[in-house]
Amino acid sequence: MRIHSSALQYFDAVRRAGSIREAARRLNVASSAVNRQILKLEAEIGTPLFDRNPSGVTLTSAGEILAHHVIVVLQDLDRTSAEIEALKGARVGHVAIAAVESVCPALLPSVLGNLRERAPRITVNAKMMGSALIPEALESGLADVGIAFNLPRYPDLRQVYVASFKLGAIMAPDHLLAKREEVSFASCSDHPLVFAASDLSIHQLLAPVMRQANRSVEPIMRTNSIELMHQLALKKPVIAFQTPIGLEKLIAAGDLVHVPLVGPVWSDLGVYVRAGRSLPAPVDLFLQILTGELQERERFEHDRH
């Protein structure tokens, strides 16, 4: 059985888009051309790969099996292309990132600025999502690199690096608790609180702290927006809970204070790739720069406390 790479690419586009028409739009080809490639692929394999329905297509069991193969093949093709370009003396390629929102304000811009200086022809795509969604993004091939808080062990993922940061109360600099070295949740609960929604890792980290405090607290808001928590915490006497990642500019400007919770409570920011994958040179370079940046932030956090 012979499967052509163009058929694999069309299959992957339909898998990602969930419809032949949308895949054709993204590929900038006619829908009929995409459909022909899918039919040809199904004929070669001898079984349907998609269930067709009015709203689009979904993978069959055979399609799911082929999808795992296609992800490996296309990612290996990217690696091979990057290695060939490297032989020519060029650093060319693409890196797809799935990351939590809090790395956007300072960490990712710094990493990408460094990457652009060292390899200006490497392009990057970054999607923001909750930590719980990042493993699927890596396993499905949507992302090359995942940056997530407090992920459990996944057999299909490899942890490249993990940095630990203290979870703390964030508040205005003139707040009653702002001058403390550390603060208990019980002390914080005497003030209006903003809680992270259940899909954020902060929620899971804070839950045992709340139980230990043995207090029933109703927050003024629950949200999955890191930026909204920042903005609310700027308004005295509101308190929210986060790590210092993403707060670097606000803390440096004196607009916001981060006071570690008693304990302390540590949050692990991990960097992940799909297990068993040979990484293309652009992804490997990105990981080197990202790891270096995280090490710098860990040192800064240690010196600050």
Side-chain angles (χ1 to χ4, degrees):
M1 180 175 65
R2 200 175 106 200
I3 301 175
H4 299 288
S5 62
S6 59
L8 291 183
Q9 290 165 350
Y10 281 29
F11 168 83
D12 191 57
V14 174
R15 173 186 71 85
R16 291 172 182 267
S19 89
I20 290 175
R21 179 175 295 181
E22 176 59 19
R25 187 190 68 78
R26 295 180 186 181
L27 292 165
N28 197 30
V29 298
S31 296
S32 58
V34 176
N35 193 48
R36 278 197 302 272
Q37 289 288 351
I38 299 301
L39 291 174
K40 176 183 177 183
L41 192 55
E42 289 178 325
E44 290 180 345
I45 291 175
T47 187
L49 299 172
F50 293 100
D51 286 323
R52 276 77 168 173
N53 53 68
S55 61
V57 297
T58 56
L59 288 169
T60 63
S61 296
E64 292 279 2
I65 293 170
L66 182 62
H68 288 293
H69 168 72
V70 168
I71 290 166
V72 173
V73 168
L74 294 183
Q75 288 185 335
D76 194 56
L77 179 62
D78 290 340
R79 179 185 61 80
T80 302
S81 299
E83 288 177 353
I84 291 172
E85 291 296 330
L87 289 175
K88 302 175 187 177
R91 282 178 166 173
V92 181
H94 183 74
V95 183
I97 308 160
V100 291
E101 182 188 355
S102 56
V103 304
C104 291
L107 178 61
L108 271 187
S110 180
V111 171
L112 296 178
N114 195 331
L115 179 68
R116 183 160 181 79
E117 286 182 7
R118 296 173 62 176
R121 294 180 64 190
I122 294 177
T123 59
V124 177
N125 178 59
K127 288 185 178 293
M128 299 302 106
M129 59 185 70
S131 291
L133 299 176
I134 288 175
E136 171 61 25
L138 291 169
E139 292 167 5
S140 68
L142 179 66
D144 299 305
V145 178
I147 309 171
F149 280 108
N150 302 298
L151 283 188
R153 291 290 181 183
Y154 283 85
D156 293 333
L157 299 187
R158 175 169 68 88
Q159 188 181 76
V160 177
Y161 187 76
V162 62
S164 295
F165 300 95
K166 292 178 180 177
L167 184 67
I170 62 172
M171 62 194 78
D174 57 346
H175 195 284
L176 289 173
L177 304 179
K179 302 302 182 184
R180 297 192 180 186
E181 291 294 319
E182 59 180 11
V183 67
S184 67
F185 178 80
S187 297
C188 293
S189 65
D190 293 329
H191 303 271
L193 301 181
V194 176
F195 285 173
S198 59
D199 58 331
L200 295 185
S201 62
I202 300 169
H203 175 85
Q204 282 73 37
L205 281 175
L206 200 57
V209 177
M210 292 169 60
R211 286 194 298 270
Q212 194 172 31
N214 198 26
R215 286 198 182 189
S216 178
V217 179
E218 187 60 35
I220 61 171
M221 179 178 287
R222 297 177 189 271
T223 178
N224 64 355
S225 170
I226 298 295
E227 178 59 28
L228 180 55
M229 283 190 267
H230 292 178
Q231 294 304 316
L232 291 170
L234 290 169
K235 312 295 183 183
K236 193 179 69 172
V238 176
I239 293 176
F241 301 93
Q242 290 181 22
T243 70
I245 290 293
L247 301 174
E248 294 92 342
K249 291 181 180 179
L250 290 170
I251 292 173
D255 296 328
L256 205 60
V257 173
H258 176 273
V259 184
L261 285 171
V262 171
V265 181
W266 291 96
S267 182
D268 292 336
L269 181 62
V271 179
Y272 303 88
V273 296
R274 184 169 57 78
R277 181 187 177 193
S278 296
L279 298 177
V283 176
D284 189 58
L285 177 60
F286 175 84
L287 288 171
Q288 290 176 34
I289 296 170
L290 175 59
T291 298
E293 289 281 349
L294 285 171
Q295 290 171 339
E296 282 293 318
R297 278 162 170 74
E298 276 190 304
R299 281 194 288 270
F300 173 78
E301 182 65 7
H302 177 77
D303 293 342
R304 196 165 69 91
H305 295 295

